[in-house]
Amino acid sequence: MPSRSLLALLAAILFTTGCSAAAQDTPAGEVVLKVGDQKGGAKSVLTAAGLLNDFPYKIEWSTFTSGPPLLEAASAGAIDIGAVGNTPPIFAAAANARIAAVGVSQGQVEADAILVPESSPLRSVADLRGKNIAVAKGSSAHGQVLLTLRSAGLTTKDVTLNFLQPADAYGAFTQGKVDAWAVWDPYTAQAQQEAKARVLTTGEGRSNGYGFQVAGRKALDDNGKNPAIKEYLVRYYKAQKWADTHREEWAKAWAAETGLKYDVALAAVQRNGDKVVKLDDTVIKSEQELADAFTEDRTLPGKVDFAKFVDTRFQGDLA
């Protein structure tokens, strides 16, 4: 039988472990919400809508070029929450990332485009066979490429995907190093206006148009941060509604914040409009279908159970 001293030691270890677990909750007065953002994203729209002025918690912003690196940071606990398109959460789930979708909106998919140079001979999706397409790996544009090719009986093996972040892809596209570029606004509008890019096809009829707010599990497990996450989500979706009803004002603010030309920002704003939707079985089913498409294409090594990467605890507050 264990000695009294050993029992005492075990008790001390258990007590210490329990205290450590409880100590993981951040005290209310020390909460700092770490938000991942993209160009012209959450910070811009919240600022323009006046919803950051009295935010009751400190926010630290980090900017990312696309969704996949943002979710890597969320999984690692480097940020608490951030907005991404419909495909990054699927790739993160495939990597068993410590993340969960906590909110969703649905936007227009006209700006989710596959672009070609103005003088390109490509006229249809079928013409993409054997061509080079620039796209950010694991981004919503990656999903757009997959679904677009499938609609024409093609797979990603019938083309060459050049995995480039938007800034590098823009350079490759304008220099003629790729045949096509799959991207989203404001890059679509910028390429159309400044590089005379032509839209070969869009996500209409293919993409679900979902955009997610995704939180890291570390932040979700911190009871001290949950009120800050809830407050952020409520204000973010209010800001989206404001942007949809104040498009010219939002375009001016967006241009000033990002350095975009006003005409580019306005073009992007005029064809976009996100509406908050419930994070329910309909959304999960649609995302599961997209995940299965990546698995069938052998882009992902196995089946992804998207439902395991969804957390609905804030849905009542967002209703």
Side-chain angles (χ1 to χ4, degrees):
M1 292 182 63
S3 67
R4 289 184 177 179
S5 59
L6 180 56
L7 288 171
L9 177 60
L10 289 171
I13 291 173
L14 289 171
F15 177 78
T16 302
T17 303
C19 288
S20 296
Q24 291 178 358
D25 290 342
T26 305
E30 299 176 15
V31 170
V32 176
L33 190 65
K34 299 177 181 178
V35 181
D37 202 9
Q38 296 185 52
K39 182 180 180 181
K43 185 179 180 180
S44 295
V45 70
L46 281 162
T47 301
L51 291 169
L52 284 183
N53 298 335
D54 60 346
F55 194 76
Y57 303 92
K58 180 180 178 182
I59 297 180
E60 288 184 358
W61 297 93
S62 298
T63 303
F64 296 83
T65 54
S66 64
L70 186 155
L71 292 189
E72 288 178 13
S75 180
I79 62 170
D80 300 320
I81 192 169
V84 298
N86 62 358
T87 302
I90 291 171
F91 274 68
N96 203 30
R98 287 180 48 77
I99 56 96
V102 293
V104 60
S105 58
Q106 189 171 30
Q108 304 298 320
V109 293
E110 181 185 346
D112 297 334
I114 296 181
L115 305 173
V116 295
E118 186 178 30
S119 59
S120 171
L122 304 183
R123 295 292 168 179
S124 71
V125 175
D127 293 337
L128 290 170
R129 185 188 293 273
K131 304 302 182 183
N132 292 281
I133 305 174
V135 63
K137 186 175 183 179
S139 67
S140 59
H142 195 173
Q144 156 77 341
V145 168
L146 173 66
L147 297 177
T148 297
L149 292 174
R150 280 167 63 97
S151 72
L154 303 175
T155 75
T156 57
K157 309 304 181 289
D158 294 311
V159 300
T160 299
L161 297 183
N162 292 256
F163 292 126
L164 299 170
Q165 291 298 321
D168 295 326
Y170 185 80
F173 181 78
T174 56
Q175 294 167 28
K177 295 180 179 179
V178 294
D179 300 300
W181 180 22
V183 74
W184 56 91
D185 264 335
Y187 303 105
T188 298
Q190 185 177 28
Q192 285 180 293
Q193 292 195 20
E194 298 179 3
K196 304 301 179 184
R198 173 165 54 85
V199 174
L200 182 70
T201 187
T202 71
E204 292 177 281
R206 304 185 185 102
S207 176
N208 57 29
Y210 291 135
F212 292 92
Q213 282 290 331
V214 180
R217 290 288 185 186
K218 182 180 179 181
L220 290 172
D221 290 341
D222 185 338
N223 292 322
K225 281 201 172 182
N226 271 239
I229 293 173
K230 181 182 76 173
E231 183 71 18
Y232 175 80
L233 287 172
V234 170
R235 291 185 183 227
Y236 175 78
Y237 289 122
K238 282 184 177 179
Q240 280 195 337
K241 287 186 176 182
W242 174 88
D244 192 38
T245 55
H246 297 77
R247 297 197 176 199
E248 291 187 3
E249 189 177 345
W250 164 223
K252 290 177 183 177
W254 196 14
E257 176 75 16
T258 62
L260 289 169
K261 293 180 179 178
Y262 172 69
D263 289 344
V264 169
L266 183 62
V269 167
Q270 293 288 28
R271 66 180 167 207
N272 284 281
D274 294 316
K275 62 177 182 179
V276 186
V277 295
K278 189 175 181 181
L279 185 51
D280 59 10
D281 290 344
T282 299
V283 173
I284 293 172
K285 180 183 177 183
S286 182
E287 284 295 288
Q288 186 62 56
E289 290 171 352
L290 179 56
D292 290 345
F294 273 110
T295 298
E296 292 167 14
D297 190 65
R298 297 186 179 180
T299 300
L300 296 178
K303 185 175 178 64
V304 172
D305 187 352
F306 188 77
K308 291 182 177 179
F309 295 86
V310 171
D311 189 316
T312 60
R313 74 180 71 178
F314 301 108
Q315 290 305 295
D317 298 293
L318 297 180

